[in-house]
Amino acid sequence: MEETKKFYVTTPIYYVTAQPHLGSLYSTLLADTITRWNKLQGNKTFFLTGTDEHGQKIAQAAQKAGKEPKEFIDSFIPDYKKAWKLYGIEYDCFGRTTSDSHIKGAQQLVQKIIDNGYVYRSEYSGMYCTPCETFVVDGAQLCSSCGRETAMMSEETYFFKLSSFADQLLDFYKKNPDFITPKERFNEVISFVKSELHDLSLSRTTVKWGVPFPGDIKHTIYVWVEALCIYITGVGYGDPHKAEQFNQWWPADVQVIGKDIIRFHAVYWPAMLMAAEMPLPKKLLVHGWIKVDKQKMSKSLGNVVDPLVLQKKYGAEPIRYYLLRQIPVNQDGDFSIADVEARIESDLAIDLGNLLNRMVALAHKYDLLTVKPIEIWSESSLELRDQSFTMIEDFSSHMDDYMFHLALARLWKFIHTTNAYFHGQEPWKLAKSNPTMFLEVISATCHSLRVIALLLWPVMPKKMEELLASIGLAFVLEEHTLENLQLNIWNKSFLLHKIPTLFDKPVQANKEESTVQQPVKIIKEEAYITIDDVVKVELLIGTIDACEEVVGSDKLVKMTVNLGERGLRIILAGIKKSHTPDELVGKRGVFIANLKPRKMAGHESHGMMLVAEDEDGKVQLMQAPAGVANGVRLR
Ligand code: MSP
């Protein structure tokens, strides 16, 4: 048994010039899920998020709003806290860079770097915009914020000897090949350090809204340098009474960041820590951008998605699931309402919600409220149990790699397996014919749902607590660590309660209350097929002239199908659990006639029959209309 580990997770701290949007929610959600995943493993966790409140950008925004910077910032803090609360984000520290403890800690770190001899005073030259009182990037002739002409200017500044850390950084990267996830991002960082590492300006005389530079109050600390310090000041750095707490948590185990701020976190921040002789974070998890119609969300484009509107319309936890399932963490992802609704409907309402509802409703119908432990399991249930064990392993390994979309895809495969088991056993028949087996099927389904709910807890905590409650289990973290789950021997008893639907199917998106300021495309173009695709499929009416079971397969039947002028065909179908061969002979249906022949269980199938599953999980044939002859093509 592994001993309890500490795990410290951070998000970037957000600029408070506006309310949080879907991008800030995304970074924060990743960190919350990672924290909860660690809790599930029995680790002691600390989760820091917060706000970045100094610098010219904030001062200018406040001035525009006619407010003092602090008053301006304070007005946004409740929005952040409210959004995080609605989304179930449970942080341990909401760090604010205007807090006294942060200011002291940031000054202490800079002082330490000065004391260690890595700071010198010099001139910073560049193109300067006087009205904005700021140097513009890349020596531009026009100011990027006001558009006015810039002029060459020099400013006194304190420099950090960043260039002298190139070798040490490269050595650190070499020894810590897992420092950055995903790996592709690592190469960008390495080539940057190899090619152009200049000393870093640590202070500004022109920016008044900032933390005073230690020993020279004409200067403020460069806002990025000061902001990075939140990761240490948030756990006690700079406070002599909190030294123990600081040593307990630092270094961070994972720092979640967006790809736009990688250089600050992978180069400047480690170099600053090296200069202060402090341990370096263990990992940076770098995520992509959430885009709307292939563009990064931004206020000027008017495509910013408001998390509060989404929460109101779909509920917070379905959105948590959507973001983690739909958008691979290592790539940019396109936000789409159509995808949100499809995920909620198909994955949550149908695959998971219906499974729970049907099982509980069926058990209630036959007065099975207390599900006692099963002593001897039958083969099919043992197979389901073994599949749950393999799934737990695969799921955990994807979660440990921070590949949430893969973990969830794997978990959903197991939900499909559980659905197939439940419906395949036809418990609605067993309830009357074989009560012992009925009990077993209900119990096995409950055991599977328990595994599913616990693994999904980091993603949808409240919903999964509701799910567990409906099978009579309380969610108690200490008792349900991942390890317990892996040792799980399927000996639980359950108490079944009917609960309101776990996930509602979304009602069609209402254009008037769009979640983004621009009209949202309901279906992505690439999801359409054209008429050319449709006409490729030859759908014919046919009659099953003969039918037999396929020996050795528990699903397949082999049918001889009369397709009129197109002759007789051998077609296999996985419908044995719902129909006997005798029932099928003489039935008429719809068949795909031009499907490439395929071998199944040793027999070649020359087509496919169209079927659909009913509410009880029974497979029903598509009815051929009366008066339409065999071989007639559907159009
Ligand atoms: N204040 C700095 C971070 C300082 S950390 C010491 C900052 N703030 S920010 O508010 O602009 O961005 C914070 C985070 O939100 C970044 O990780 C950024 O990548 C993320 N996102 C902002 N818009 C985003 C999307 N559209 N999609 C995903 N995340 C994006 O940078």
Side-chain angles (χ1 to χ4, degrees):
M1 193 178 280
E2 262 188 46
E3 63 178 281
T4 316
K5 273 199 316 193
K6 72 92 190 173
F7 206 89
Y8 176 28
V9 187
T10 68
T11 73
I13 49 169
Y14 304 101
Y15 289 129
V16 272
T17 46
Q19 277 94 351
H21 57 67
L22 202 65
S24 16
L25 173 67
Y26 186 58
S27 286
T28 320
L29 170 62
L30 293 175
D32 185 69
T33 305
I34 296 169
T35 308
R36 289 177 187 269
W37 172 241
N38 274 276
K39 285 192 167 149
L40 210 57
Q41 294 169 74
N43 294 338
K44 273 189 88 174
T45 59
F46 195 97
F47 169 14
L48 173 133
T49 187
T51 42
D52 192 351
E53 305 184 355
H54 284 123
Q56 196 75 348
K57 211 164 148 159
I58 308 265
Q60 278 170 354
Q63 201 182 18
K64 225 169 143 187
K67 289 187 177 165
E68 284 301 309
K70 185 68 170 48
E71 185 199 353
F72 176 70
I73 300 155
D74 284 349
S75 69
F76 289 113
I77 302 298
D79 296 326
Y80 275 86
K81 292 194 172 167
K82 181 178 163 200
W84 297 167
K85 190 159 182 222
L86 283 173
Y87 274 89
I89 307 284
E90 281 183 5
Y91 50 79
D92 297 286
C93 172
F94 188 100
R96 298 187 55 179
T97 55
T98 49
S99 69
D100 286 347
S101 55
H102 171 76
I103 292 172
K104 276 196 199 119
Q107 287 174 324
Q108 184 172 316
L109 186 85
V110 172
Q111 186 63 58
K112 177 89 180 154
I113 299 175
I114 298 171
D115 294 345
N116 285 352
Y118 295 111
V119 176
Y120 63 95
R121 197 169 60 180
S122 183
E123 293 268 295
Y124 183 89
S125 305
M127 301 306 280
Y128 194 76
C129 173
T130 313
C132 293
E133 287 201 284
T134 185
F135 283 97
V136 296
V137 275
D138 300 333
Q141 303 287 323
L142 295 177
C143 172
S144 55
S145 61
C146 72
R148 277 177 271 213
E149 271 189 25
T150 57
M152 176 58 93
M153 209 178 97
S154 293
E155 183 193 0
E156 179 188 277
T157 189
Y158 289 92
F159 276 102
F160 168 47
K161 293 185 189 168
L162 179 64
S163 55
S164 60
F165 284 91
D167 289 344
Q168 231 175 299
L169 283 168
L170 292 170
D171 187 50
F172 169 75
Y173 301 149
K174 202 166 164 193
K175 290 191 177 129
N176 297 277
D178 296 325
F179 177 54
I180 297 174
T181 293
K183 282 204 173 3
E184 310 88 75
R185 299 254 167 247
F186 218 152
N187 299 334
E188 294 164 27
V189 169
I190 293 172
S191 42
F192 171 72
V193 171
K194 278 187 178 159
S195 66
E196 44 179 321
L197 210 55
H198 304 297
D199 288 347
L200 177 73
S201 164
L202 263 192
S203 73
R204 297 282 188 275
T205 51
T206 46
V207 179
K208 300 296 171 212
W209 179 240
V211 172
F213 196 82
D216 191 343
I217 53 158
K218 283 201 308 300
H219 294 244
T220 54
I221 305 176
Y222 171 40
V223 66
W224 255 106
V225 166
E226 176 241 310
L228 287 162
C229 294
I230 198 81
Y231 301 135
I232 51 176
T233 60
V235 283
Y237 181 83
D239 182 343
H241 304 294
K242 292 194 177 159
E244 201 181 319
Q245 180 194 331
F246 175 67
N247 291 328
Q248 180 191 358
W249 296 111
W250 188 255
D253 294 273
V254 61
Q255 303 210 264
V256 178
I257 56 167
K259 64 178 185 180
D260 47 331
I261 54 176
I262 189 167
R263 198 173 284 178
F264 295 98
H265 287 81
V267 182
Y268 304 162
W269 180 227
M272 282 161 60
L273 291 166
M274 283 171 178
E277 301 164 294
M278 284 168 65
L280 268 48
K282 294 190 188 145
K283 174 172 292 290
L284 300 178
L285 174 63
V286 186
H287 65 75
W289 283 337
I290 299 179
K291 297 186 169 182
V292 174
D293 291 335
K294 314 266 179 276
Q295 285 170 306
K296 194 185 179 212
M297 266 181 286
S298 83
K299 276 203 283 177
S300 54
L301 285 172
N303 63 354
V304 171
V305 179
D306 182 345
L308 298 191
V309 178
L310 279 182
Q311 178 270 332
K312 228 164 137 191
K313 189 159 170 58
Y314 301 103
E317 299 209 347
I319 297 298
R320 287 176 64 118
Y321 170 73
Y322 161 79
L323 289 171
L324 292 165
R325 172 71 181 87
Q326 187 75 23
I327 299 171
V329 76
N330 50 345
Q331 292 165 27
D332 291 346
D334 217 19
F335 171 84
S336 118
I337 286 291
D339 290 342
V340 170
E341 297 195 344
R343 285 281 171 211
I344 296 178
E345 172 150 0
S346 132
D347 298 7
L348 300 180
I350 297 178
D351 292 346
L352 182 54
N354 277 359
L355 175 64
L356 175 74
N357 287 347
R358 281 185 189 160
M359 186 274 291
V360 176
L362 191 66
H364 269 247
K365 184 169 168 189
Y366 293 99
D367 291 327
L368 179 59
L369 306 187
T370 308
V371 184
K372 288 193 247 92
I374 304 296
E375 309 246 312
I376 300 167
W377 292 97
S378 64
E379 198 58 32
S380 51
S381 308
L382 286 177
E383 198 182 305
L384 182 67
R385 189 192 65 179
D386 291 348
Q387 298 231 24
S388 84
F389 291 152
T390 347
M391 182 276 290
I392 296 172
E393 264 179 43
D394 295 346
F395 180 89
S396 306
S397 129
H398 290 312
M399 287 296 279
D400 290 340
D401 290 343
Y402 304 102
M403 290 296 127
F404 309 104
H405 64 298
L406 297 180
L408 290 170
R410 181 63 185 89
L411 182 65
W412 246 259
K413 204 170 149 204
F414 178 68
I415 294 178
H416 294 153
T417 306
T418 309
N419 265 306
Y421 164 86
F422 180 75
H423 293 121
Q425 296 291 328
E426 301 188 318
W428 50 94
K429 285 188 188 161
L430 293 173
K432 294 176 215 148
S433 63
N434 186 349
T436 316
M437 194 56 197
F438 179 60
L439 173 73
E440 175 175 332
V441 172
I442 298 293
S443 174
T445 310
C446 287
H447 276 98
S448 294
L449 281 167
R450 172 176 176 264
V451 173
I452 291 164
L454 289 170
L455 294 183
L456 271 182
W457 180 80
V459 178
M460 292 184 286
K462 285 215 177 68
K463 288 286 176 192
M464 292 307 109
E465 286 167 23
E466 280 172 36
L467 193 166
L468 288 170
S470 88
I471 55 172
L473 302 176
F475 179 80
V476 183
L477 210 44
E478 290 74 20
E479 284 178 19
H480 296 299
T481 59
L482 186 64
E483 232 172 300
N484 283 345
L485 207 55
Q486 275 158 334
L487 296 173
N488 176 16
I489 46 169
W490 280 35
N491 60 353
K492 298 271 173 294
S493 49
F494 302 93
L495 199 60
L496 303 180
H497 307 278
K498 278 190 182 166
I499 55 163
T501 319
L502 199 57
F503 299 104
D504 291 320
K505 287 187 186 170
V507 272
Q508 264 302 301
N510 179 352
K511 281 188 188 138
E512 273 149 42
E513 43 167 297
S514 174
T515 42
V516 302
Q517 290 158 17
Q518 281 190 339
V520 180
K521 268 198 230 145
I522 299 300
I523 300 176
K524 283 204 277 177
E525 262 162 35
E526 53 268 39
Y528 291 123
I529 58 169
T530 67
I531 191 71
D532 297 342
D533 298 310
V534 176
V535 295
K536 272 191 209 155
V537 185
E538 229 187 333
L539 291 166
L540 303 186
I541 300 291
T543 301
I544 304 168
D545 276 357
C547 182
E548 61 186 62
E549 288 191 6
V550 171
V551 184
S553 161
D554 56 356
K555 290 193 197 119
L556 292 172
V557 294
K558 183 175 151 193
M559 303 173 290
T560 308
V561 181
N562 182 342
L563 294 177
E565 285 184 355
R566 301 291 295 276
L568 295 178
R569 285 285 181 91
I570 298 296
I571 295 179
L572 277 80
I575 54 173
K576 191 165 161 184
K577 289 200 172 140
S578 303
H579 300 274
T580 63
D582 284 348
E583 270 173 22
L584 290 165
V585 175
K587 287 253 158 55
R588 305 184 73 226
V590 179
F591 300 85
I592 303 178
N594 60 342
L595 191 69
K596 193 173 170 196
R598 193 159 74 100
K599 230 179 180 172
M600 291 187 272
H603 299 262
E604 197 154 89
S605 181
H606 294 262
M608 182 178 152
M609 181 164 69
L610 297 193
V611 295
E613 211 178 278
D614 70 15
E615 281 200 339
D616 293 327
K618 185 169 169 169
V619 176
Q620 304 287 0
L621 276 54
M622 297 307 290
Q623 293 291 321
V628 181
N630 288 341
V632 170
R633 185 169 180 175
L634 266 69
R635 57 189 172 90

